[in-house]
Amino acid sequence: MAGTGLTAATRQAVIETPLARRGGIRTTAGSTVRGFGPSAFGLVAFFVVWELLVRVTGTPTFVVPTPSASFARLWENLGSYSYELLFTLAAAGAGLAIGLTIGVTGGVIMANWRILERSVFPLAVILKLVPFVAIAPLLRIWLGYELAPKIVLAALITFFPVLVNCITGLKAADPLALEFFHSLGANRWEVFTRLRWPTTLPYLFAALKVCVNLAMIGAIVGEFFGAEYGIGKIINRTSLSLDMRSMFAAIMLLALTGVTLTILTNVAERRVLFWHESVRT
Amino acid sequence: MPVTGIGVPVSAGVTPSRYARAHVVIDGVAKTFETRTGSVEALRQVSLDIQEHEFVTLIGPSGCGKSTLLRIVGGLIAPSGGRVEIRGRSPQDAQRTKDIGFVFQQPALLPWRTVADNIELPFSLNRGSGTDRLCTTEEILTLVGLGPFARAHPYQLSGGMQQRVAIARALIFDPALLLMDEPFGALDEITRDGMRYELLRIWSGSRKTVLFVTHSIPEAIVLSDRVVVMSARPGEVREVIEIALPRPRGMEVESTSEFLRYAERLRHLLRA
């Protein structure tokens, strides 16, 4: 009996729409692949020009090293740098986890209780307005030279974007969907779990994309102010000894890490938010 | 005032038992919205009885309070005066027992759920109360002509198809009353013309009691047992017209002389 009452035109639409969409996705994927070409070219060109400039102008290595020399140094030190990087990643990861937990918990509470939003949110704004670099030395004095101050720093920077986006997302539920839920006598918990929370996910991913990099910045800045381990410590130390090659090697490793983390976040977003416009288009 | 008694020829002369018999009773419902710039009277003393299995349409100019009335009947807005009863109970009680099925101008589906999961949604709300089922999800998908799309996501469907999912979602839990707020208002003319008869076909299977809001005169005539014409703000019932066209109605009904007479009558009432 399938489609008995359908007009020919509707049936045509029924058949064609998903195919057309799939075609659309294929086009997008194709353009991403094509998009790699120019960006790879730009990257290579950047390094070539850099290399040439340094060689042609005879710039001394202790001012700007050639990229080839920096890569070579990175390759030599990959083992020890990666070991240091693990500490930075651990601090950033733990800080991000705490920032996410505080941001989401706070967001859920504030979105549900107006009074709390009005009383606590300004505090969060003030906390956010203090330049976090200014707190770093204080945290080192209070919390020492290990992971703790870096974790706190990363958490301090990341909680706010998560909090703001979480509140916005929780209030962004489709009003008609809300009416449908209410017309069925849904309780608050059901509205939250089945409507408000899924609606919030795109907002949280937008925050996460920013916060992944912010957490790294927090951890590295923390390491600048004194740390036993971490890639920030390497950068700090090499800058004192003007070992520019090693310094650039460490920076390149961080850039690579940043790219990897961003790609991972985007992959996760595509998996979770396959239904959302931001991912589909 | 022509409002009292609201020309319900069916129940005329049975006034004492009227409330007991009517499936939905709208009695002197008024609504005034308080805004910052003053109060706006949206509805004034609207009364209407709807019998079980009846298809009643509200038609009227923009801003006549049709949607407001529908939301009051569905318990989404509280009236400023008067009362609504659905099977002798308040709209809130009807919500609790899942006796109200809403279809809006937009499908309002959950984009992260598949078509089948969207249709199943009502069963996971309200602590699963009112688990009566009209039929299986597969059956209702077939009924609305979306058999092969159970595992598709809403974004893979056209607007008309999404609206069919919304209709299926409102029917699956077998509500006592179906409230439809311009369900085809956001569709293009061609799709809309087709959907009218799709809905008629779906409805004739279950014969749910329907209160339907529309701007479209042909839609109102083709679908309804009675058409309630409302006047502009404040919304009042201007006239109730019984549509005596025989059922089942097909597309050819729109070229009959009775249809054209009804259309002329409605157009006249809406212009006046």
Side-chain angles (χ1 to χ4, degrees), chain A:
Chain A
M1 174 182 166
T4 34
L6 295 179
T7 60
T10 330
R11 218 174 294 133
Q12 195 64 18
V14 162
I15 294 159
E16 276 180 3
T17 312
L19 288 178
R21 300 277 183 179
R22 252 177 265 144
I25 289 161
R26 195 168 50 224
T27 322
T28 326
S31 67
T32 346
V33 173
R34 259 175 272 127
F36 270 129
S39 57
F41 174 80
L43 204 62
V44 171
F46 172 74
F47 283 121
V48 169
V49 171
W50 175 1
E51 183 89 28
L52 285 176
L53 273 177
V54 173
R55 282 172 192 266
V56 169
T57 57
T59 312
T61 307
F62 63 83
V63 178
V64 182
T66 58
S68 58
S70 307
F71 276 124
R73 179 59 56 87
L74 177 57
W75 187 246
E76 280 164 36
N77 293 342
L78 198 57
S80 66
Y81 281 15
S82 302
Y83 181 72
E84 300 284 348
L85 182 66
L86 278 181
F87 287 86
T88 311
L89 280 174
L96 180 62
I98 294 171
L100 273 173
T101 311
I102 294 175
V104 169
T105 314
V108 169
I109 291 171
M110 289 185 206
N112 276 294
W113 288 279
R114 253 320 129 70
I115 303 163
L116 280 171
E117 187 184 356
R118 260 185 255 145
S119 53
V120 181
F121 192 74
L123 278 177
V125 174
I126 291 169
L127 198 57
K128 183 242 167 186
L129 284 176
V130 176
F132 72 96
V133 189
I135 317 177
L138 178 69
L139 290 175
R140 199 208 57 215
I141 294 169
W142 280 351
L143 301 170
Y145 290 86
E146 285 175 25
L147 283 177
K150 304 191 271 175
I151 292 173
V152 171
L153 216 48
L156 270 178
I157 321 173
T158 50
F159 90 94
F160 194 75
V162 176
L163 177 74
V164 171
N165 276 28
C166 188
I167 294 176
T168 312
L170 287 171
K171 291 179 176 175
D174 177 3
L176 286 184
L178 269 175
E179 285 196 315
F180 186 76
F181 274 62
H182 290 146
S183 76
L184 286 167
N187 62 36
R188 240 173 145 174
W189 174 249
E190 289 163 346
V191 172
F192 174 75
T193 54
R194 291 172 183 69
L195 179 60
R196 290 200 189 273
W197 178 251
T199 309
T200 309
L201 285 178
Y203 292 83
L204 286 182
F205 262 101
L208 186 65
K209 280 185 185 174
V210 179
C211 286
V212 164
N213 294 312
L214 282 182
M216 284 298 284
I217 295 173
I220 292 162
V221 168
E223 286 161 359
F224 283 172
F225 287 90
E228 252 182 290
Y229 297 101
I231 202 80
K233 178 204 71 180
I234 302 283
I235 293 175
N236 207 12
R237 192 173 293 169
T238 50
S239 79
L240 292 175
S241 60
L242 283 182
D243 178 3
M244 299 304 260
R245 241 181 248 178
S246 302
M247 196 170 160
F248 269 81
I251 292 170
M252 280 170 176
L253 183 61
L254 279 176
L256 271 173
T257 312
V259 171
T260 312
L261 288 176
T262 305
I263 290 173
L264 285 178
T265 319
N266 285 345
V267 168
E269 186 187 34
R270 277 178 180 276
R271 290 232 160 162
V272 177
L273 300 181
F274 63 91
W275 49 271
H276 193 251
E277 300 86 356
S278 65
V279 169
R280 288 189 348 252
T281 48

Side-chain angles (χ1 to χ4, degrees), chain B residues 87-104:
Chain B
R87 290 214 285 212
R89 296 172 316 140
S90 74
Q92 280 70 31
D93 284 340
Q95 285 181 353
R96 249 165 251 139
T97 50
K98 287 192 183 153
D99 272 326
I100 297 169
F102 244 112
V103 181
F104 302 96

Side-chain angles (χ1 to χ4, degrees), chain B residues 1-6 44-46 236-238:
Chain B
M1 262 166 70
V3 175
T4 38
I6 292 312
R44 179 186 288 173
Q45 292 293 321
V46 175
E236 286 179 290
V237 175
R238 184 185 287 272

Side-chain angles (χ1 to χ4, degrees), chain B residues 3 6 27 30 61 68 80 102 128 170 173 175 183 227 233 238 263 272:
Chain B
V3 175
I6 292 312
D27 187 20
T68 305
S80 318
F102 244 112
F173 56 98
V227 177
R233 194 175 302 149
R238 184 185 287 272

Side-chain angles (χ1 to χ4, degrees), chain B residues 4 18 98 176 206 235 262:
Chain B
T4 38
R18 204 183 81 182
K98 287 192 183 153
S206 62
Y262 283 126

